[in-house]
Each structure stands twice: as structure tokens, then as C-alpha cells.
Amino acid sequence: MENLLLHQRVLQLSLSATLQMQARAKALKDQGISVVALSAGEPDFETPKVIVEAAKQALDKGVSRYTAVRGSDELIKAMQLKFLRDQKVSYGPLQVLSTVGAKSAIAMALESVAGPGDEVIVLAPFWVSYPEQVRLAGAKPIIVSASAEQNYIHTAAMIKAAITKNTRAIILNSPNNPTGAVFSEQVLREIMEVFVGTAVWVISDEIYEHLVFDEEKHVSPASFSPDAYARTVVISGASKGYAMTGWRIGVVGGPLAIVDAMVKLQQQRYSCIASISQAAAAFALQETPELKSEIEKMRGAYQTRRDEVMRMLKNLPGVTCIKPKGAFYAFLDFSKWMGKMHKGALIDNDDILAMRLLNEAHVAVVSGAAFGAPGCVRLSIASSLPDITEGMKRIQTWLE
Ligand code: PMP
Ligand code: GLU
């Protein structure tokens, strides 16, 4: 049987650091150890009851069959309405698509536009799956990093300098996972100007669009100009804003050519997303007043948690964090601790730090290296306030 080989595609693929850490935390919990899991970005809220009710009604009505690849008629209408309301862009019924989470949408968008010999610009710190998905498409991720001093916001000039004749796409992600940075409209407009006259697609991951704090506003780069509209595919979904991670709902809107290509891929891979999830999404995307107030409650809770993390941060010696303006993460900079001896062992890097925090302090966080930002760790504030407070206390005690 030794000649049964796996392909390099999977042999070279990294595991998802976020999902791995979540699994490690669960394994320790299963052994009876009290672990505070601040690892995966997954809302601790239940899906709002009104959405669950819409899904139950669909079940009772026997909504149990394949739908069109893009989605049911109701869902297509709801997606069109959503993009008009939130992104301020108008898409025809053939320009929208529902997907198995935003994750599969990003993968299919990349596969639609890039392959061997091509480059895709990925802005660091980045969500863990971007570079791996670019590589799975056969292309090369070109990493452009912004530092904490820059508030993790990339300038148009930095992006322009990374464009070559092989650049096929860029992934934008605001509000950002893992830093919580929100790119202002002005910065996004400057960035979009860079692409005029190029053949670069913009994959705009707007999955955290509902989660902006204080006076911040979410804007979609697709809305800026006819040029921006024609090169941008917008990817969002129900996981974060509606607390529906397990329902696996992604929504896509964009130019007909790329959406058609993604439909082709989805047709051969998944056929369509689960019909009951579609019914729930068709209801949720309409954002009735009752649901809107639930969404606002969750957003407010994340903001309170963010404030608590920033307050408690003062107790962590040598640790800094840029105040998150959106999403539900805090990206803590432990650079000053790297290479130091602590409790009889060296903290060589952030991977070691995350493992030691898990095994010694029983707090699960994700190492910054997985996000292209060594020396940091990411803490999810999608966990309950008592968990966050306890987690921060445990980190403090461990550091002391
Ligand atoms: N993009 C970003 C930036 C994310 O953090 C996530 C979280 N999993 C996703 C996309 C994918 O979300 P989902 O597949 O659950 O829609
Ligand atoms: N997006 C979340 C995170 O970054 C969920 C896990 C994942 O899909 O990576 O933790």
C-alpha cells in the first residue's frame, strides 16, 4: 500500500489555526479542565428566535429539495435587497449567489480568477484562511503588512508597490479579522483608485459589516464608482452579524462574469446550500425591525466587551493593543515578551506563547503568526463577558 500517495496540494496545506485551537480547547475541556476559550470567532449568542421560527416554518412546509444553484427565488430577492440596502449597489438576480459560508465563497472567487503563475495580494494581518486558499487555487499570495503603528491600515501606496503584471486579485477585509481595524471610506477610495487601468479583481470580504463600534460606518468599495463596481465581488454572510455560524450561509454579489464562474464551481461542488438554511437566510436578510433590534443588542454587547478588554489590558505588563473599531477580536501585541525566559522556559515565539497560555493558564487564544503578525495573539471577544474577564485575569496572573 506504500504507493498510495496523497497529493502535494493537501500535504502542503496548513491546518486552520483558529479551528485547531478551538479543537485543542475542547479536548482539554472534555478532560474536565476548566478552559476559557477565546480562540474561535464564533458568537456566543443563540441565533435570534425570529430566524429559527422562519426555518421551522420552512421545515413544516416541506422545503426539502435542491434549489437553483444561486439559491431559492426568495433568497435571491433578499440578497438583492440586502446589497442595495447595505452595500448601496444594485445587482440583478443573476449577479447574486448564496454559498456554504463566506469561506467557500472566498475560495470560489479565488479559483475563478487566479491560478498557477498568478499573484493575489493579501493584506496582513489577515484571516488565517486567505493565504491557504490562494495557494489551493494554485496562485501565490503576496503579503503586504501594515504595522500596529499604522493602526493596521494599509496605504494605497503600499498596495500599488505590490502590483505586478501577474497580479490577478486582492483581498480586502474591513472590518478586519484579526485586528478589528475598520478602513475609512477615504482610505478605501484611495486604494480602489490604484486599480484603475489594471486587471486586478477586488475580493471584498465584508462578513463583519454589522459589527462596527462607536462612530464607525461600514462602506463597501463596490459602491465607489463604475470602475469599482465592475471589479469588485462582495462577500458577506449570516455567521457573524446574525449569530448563525452553524447554518453555513454566505452571500455574494458582483459582476456577472465572476458570479457566473462561481456558480459553475458551486454547481459541480455543492449544488446549492441547505434549503432550510436558505429559508432562514431569506428571512434574516430582510432585517425586520424585531431582528434589527436583536442585531443591535449583540453589536452593543461586543462593544461593551471590547471596552472591558481595553480596560483590563492595563493590567498586562508590556502588552499593547490597538483599540478595535469593529469585528469581535482584540489583537494583543506581546512583542516585548518574545525571546524572554518566563517561569523557567523561553517564550521563543507567539506559537509557544499561545500553547503555554493554553496549557499553563488554561486560556485558548490564537497565535499571531497564523495571521501573518508574529509576536501577537488574537483574543476573540465573541465569548461572554464573564469568560473574557476570567480569561484576561488568567493571562495577567500567568504573566505575573
Ligand atoms: N472571512 C472572515 C474574515 C472570517 O473571519 C470568517 C470567519 N469564519 C469568514 C470569512 C468565514 O465565515 P463563514 O464561512 O462562517 O461565513
Ligand atoms: N472566522 C472565525 C475565526 O477566525 C471562525 C473560525 C474560522 O473559520 O477560521 O476564528
Side-chain angles (χ1 to χ4, degrees):
M1 298 300 262
E2 276 132 44
N3 56 354
L4 292 180
L5 299 178
L6 293 172
H7 194 269
Q8 285 305 316
R9 190 182 300 117
V10 281
L11 294 176
Q12 286 165 2
L13 186 65
S14 304
L15 290 168
S16 161
T18 48
L19 297 180
Q20 270 296 97
M21 195 45 118
Q22 194 70 356
R24 282 200 194 107
K26 182 175 180 304
L28 286 185
K29 275 187 188 169
D30 289 348
Q31 288 170 32
I33 297 170
S34 141
V35 175
V36 178
L38 306 179
S39 32
E42 167 151 52
D44 62 320
F45 298 103
E46 299 294 335
T47 301
K49 286 219 160 46
V50 278
I51 301 178
V52 176
E53 210 41 57
K56 280 185 184 165
Q57 283 176 19
L59 270 173
D60 289 341
K61 274 196 258 162
V63 176
S64 57
R65 305 207 184 279
Y66 293 133
T67 66
V69 178
R70 284 182 169 77
S72 66
D73 292 346
E74 295 71 32
L75 179 53
I76 285 174
K77 279 204 196 82
M79 288 191 285
Q80 287 180 274
L81 173 106
K82 176 259 173 312
F83 284 120
L84 198 56
R85 181 191 60 216
D86 303 331
Q87 273 66 29
K88 313 268 182 284
V89 285
S90 170
Y91 293 129
L94 298 180
Q95 288 180 272
V96 293
L97 162 70
S98 57
T99 57
V100 186
K103 203 176 219 173
S104 82
I106 298 160
M108 292 190 295
L110 287 166
E111 285 175 274
S112 297
V113 300
D118 295 334
E119 296 174 354
V120 176
I121 299 175
V122 175
L123 305 181
F126 47 71
W127 178 42
V128 292
S129 291
Y130 295 155
E132 292 309 311
Q133 291 196 344
V134 171
R135 280 189 273 268
L136 274 177
K140 184 173 172 203
I142 302 296
I143 309 296
V144 177
S145 297
S147 61
E149 290 70 37
Q150 294 171 296
N151 288 324
Y152 301 119
I153 303 280
H154 307 69
T155 63
M158 289 163 72
I159 292 169
K160 191 170 185 180
I163 298 177
T164 72
K165 63 179 191 335
N166 298 323
T167 310
R168 301 290 294 126
I170 181 170
I171 307 178
L172 298 180
N173 174 222
S174 174
N176 179 268
N177 176 5
T179 64
V182 174
F183 286 57
S184 70
E185 175 168 350
Q186 195 195 327
V187 169
L188 278 175
R189 280 188 182 272
E190 287 165 10
I191 291 174
M192 292 305 284
E193 275 301 306
V194 164
F195 306 122
V196 175
T198 71
V200 177
W201 286 97
V202 174
I203 299 171
S204 183
D205 179 351
E206 302 179 23
I207 187 94
Y208 294 99
E209 60 179 297
H210 287 90
L211 305 176
V212 287
F213 307 138
D214 311 318
E215 305 308 315
E216 291 298 326
K217 248 183 39 212
H218 174 74
V219 284
S220 174
S223 68
F224 292 165
S225 66
D227 184 89
Y229 179 90
R231 66 174 71 248
T232 305
V233 58
V234 179
I235 295 176
S236 189
S239 285
K240 316 292 174 173
Y242 306 148
M244 295 180 75
T245 47
W247 299 71
R248 311 306 302 129
I249 298 157
V251 298
V252 177
L256 189 59
I258 188 165
V259 174
D260 260 350
M262 292 169 72
V263 167
K264 240 202 268 180
L265 287 167
Q266 174 148 294
Q267 190 170 53
Q268 295 294 8
R269 290 242 173 90
Y270 315 112
S271 302
C272 62
I273 75 171
S275 55
I276 300 302
S277 290
Q278 290 195 39
F283 172 81
L285 288 171
Q286 293 173 49
E287 297 192 2
T288 57
E290 195 181 357
L291 177 57
K292 241 186 139 45
S293 87
E294 291 286 321
I295 296 168
E296 176 51 27
K297 260 192 243 159
M298 293 190 276
R299 194 203 61 79
Y302 298 132
Q303 185 167 316
T304 305
R305 296 168 186 185
R306 187 267 324 246
D307 291 342
E308 180 64 4
V309 168
M310 294 311 289
R311 196 186 62 74
M312 292 188 78
L313 183 73
K314 298 189 187 80
N315 305 332
L316 306 186
V319 181
T320 55
C321 175
I322 302 295
K323 191 176 183 182
K325 295 185 166 181
F328 43 44
Y329 306 100
F331 204 49
L332 307 190
D333 191 337
F334 278 82
S335 305
K336 294 209 175 88
W337 286 83
M338 296 299 113
K340 296 254 160 73
M341 282 293 285
H342 185 58
K343 295 183 188 289
L346 202 61
I347 305 177
D348 301 271
N349 55 44
D350 49 281
D351 284 326
I352 304 252
L353 175 66
M355 284 314 291
R356 290 190 61 187
L357 285 174
L358 178 67
N359 294 322
E360 297 170 27
H362 297 155
V363 186
V365 297
V366 185
S367 62
F371 303 97
C376 300
V377 301
R378 188 195 74 176
L379 215 118
S380 168
I381 56 169
S383 315
S384 71
L385 194 55
D387 268 7
I388 292 167
T389 311
E390 175 61 19
M392 288 293 280
K393 268 197 210 138
R394 288 186 188 188
I395 297 174
Q396 180 187 345
T397 309
W398 186 80
L399 289 177
E400 285 166 359

